[in-house]
């Protein structure tokens, strides 16, 4: 941790579990938190903007930055590369800010080794079938993309016992409240 006051929250869990929605609510409710913008080699979805939703990088540029040691963690997910740039995290910690990383499970494990003081939270579905419904409801992904993500999600679910904090997303309002409570407790906020 750069100066001892900022905290890193890693929010992980299978694609389609609703991490994005819960994090959106969390950021509104806990203004002390900032969201880290990840880098990826996947193509932007409709409405996504470079530098806001992701830093969209070409594969060669992503690899160059891996070689340069620019990533705190990085992983391949459903055929694309994703990673957290150290600068995204260090800049905020230096300023005493706390931040949220929304990342998949392999990245979560890497952050746990690199920063044992990070708070890792696993968002779990009430049942695996709920993931299919969510992923299929997301009109932005193709059939093949959904199938790849579902296979990965099954593997990711097996990682749940590795995480000390688990929030089950059965009811989005309840899950958002639970996530907020957990984060406030770690930040020693009321
Ligand atoms: P999507 O393509 O749906 O935006 O993201 C696919 C998966 O990649 C999600 O599980 C998301 O949390 C994860 N992801 C996004 N950014 C990062 C990152 O910087 N590192 C890692 N390891 N995973 C990420």
């Amino acid at each position: 941790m750069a100066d001892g006051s900022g905290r890193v929250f890693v929010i992980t869990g299978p694609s389609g579990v609703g991490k994005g929605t819960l994090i959106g609510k969390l950021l509104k409710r806990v203004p002390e938190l900032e969201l880290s913008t990840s880098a990826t080699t996947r193509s932007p979805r409709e409405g996504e903007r470079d530098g806001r939703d992701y830093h969209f990088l070409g594969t060669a540029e992503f690899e160059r930055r891996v070689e340069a040691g620019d990533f705190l963690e990085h992983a391949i997910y459903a055929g694309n590369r994703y990673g957290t740039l150290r600068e995204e995290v260090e800049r905020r910690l230096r300023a005493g800010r706390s931040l949220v990383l929304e990342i998949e499970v392999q990245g979560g494990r890497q952050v746990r080794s690199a920063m044992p003081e990070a708070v890792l939270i696993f968002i779990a579905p009430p049942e695996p079938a709920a993931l299919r419904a969510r992923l299929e409801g997301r009109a932005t992904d193709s059939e093949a993309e959904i199938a790849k993500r579902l296979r990965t999600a099954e593997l990711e679910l097996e990682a749940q016992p590795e995480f000390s904090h688990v929030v089950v997303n059965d009811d989005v309002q309840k899950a958002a409240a639970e996530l907020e409570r957990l984060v406030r407790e770690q930040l020693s906020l009321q």
Side-chain angles (χ1 to χ4, degrees):
M1 210 171 286
D3 73 356
S5 57
R7 313 248 12 213
V8 175
F9 293 90
V10 172
I11 301 191
T12 191
S15 181
V17 79
K19 297 193 292 280
T21 306
L22 289 177
I23 290 171
K25 290 184 184 296
L26 179 69
L27 294 171
K28 283 201 190 110
R29 294 175 186 194
V30 187
E32 289 81 359
L33 289 177
E34 293 178 9
L35 183 64
S36 163
T37 304
S38 296
T40 184
T41 61
R42 89 151 157 70
S43 309
R45 294 195 183 113
E46 213 178 301
E48 285 184 332
R49 224 173 53 210
D50 187 39
R52 183 193 64 186
D53 300 288
Y54 278 106
H55 301 292
F56 292 101
L57 304 182
T59 305
E61 174 68 357
F62 195 102
E63 277 166 10
R64 188 193 64 73
R65 301 201 68 170
V66 169
E67 289 302 311
D70 288 353
F71 286 105
L72 171 65
E73 62 74 33
H74 60 93
I76 297 179
Y77 184 92
N80 294 305
R81 306 193 71 167
Y82 294 82
T84 305
L85 291 163
R86 288 184 193 281
E87 183 52 28
E88 282 278 324
V89 175
E90 287 168 3
R91 176 167 51 85
R92 293 185 172 93
L93 290 181
R94 275 197 302 271
R97 305 286 301 166
S98 289
L99 75 155
V100 171
L101 309 183
E102 185 209 322
I103 64 181
E104 52 67 73
V105 165
Q106 305 162 69
R109 291 190 182 114
Q110 292 170 43
V111 177
R112 186 170 49 206
S113 330
M115 295 185 128
E117 69 280 16
V119 180
L120 278 86
I121 304 168
F122 189 94
I123 311 291
E127 51 184 4
L131 287 180
R132 172 175 286 277
R134 282 232 185 82
L135 286 170
E136 285 177 349
R138 191 151 73 187
T140 48
D141 292 338
S142 68
E143 269 296 309
E145 183 68 17
I146 291 168
K148 254 196 283 184
R149 281 167 183 256
L150 274 170
R151 276 196 302 277
T152 308
E154 279 161 20
L155 293 176
E156 291 195 301
L157 279 177
E158 292 171 11
Q160 182 176 325
E162 294 172 32
F163 294 88
S164 45
H165 302 290
V166 176
V167 171
V168 178
N169 191 12
D170 47 357
D171 171 303
V172 72
Q173 298 305 339
K174 266 199 251 162
E178 167 67 7
L179 186 60
E180 179 186 359
R181 190 198 56 74
L182 218 160
V183 166
R184 285 187 176 276
E185 186 179 272
Q186 297 291 332
L187 290 174
S188 307
L189 298 171
Q190 295 289 319

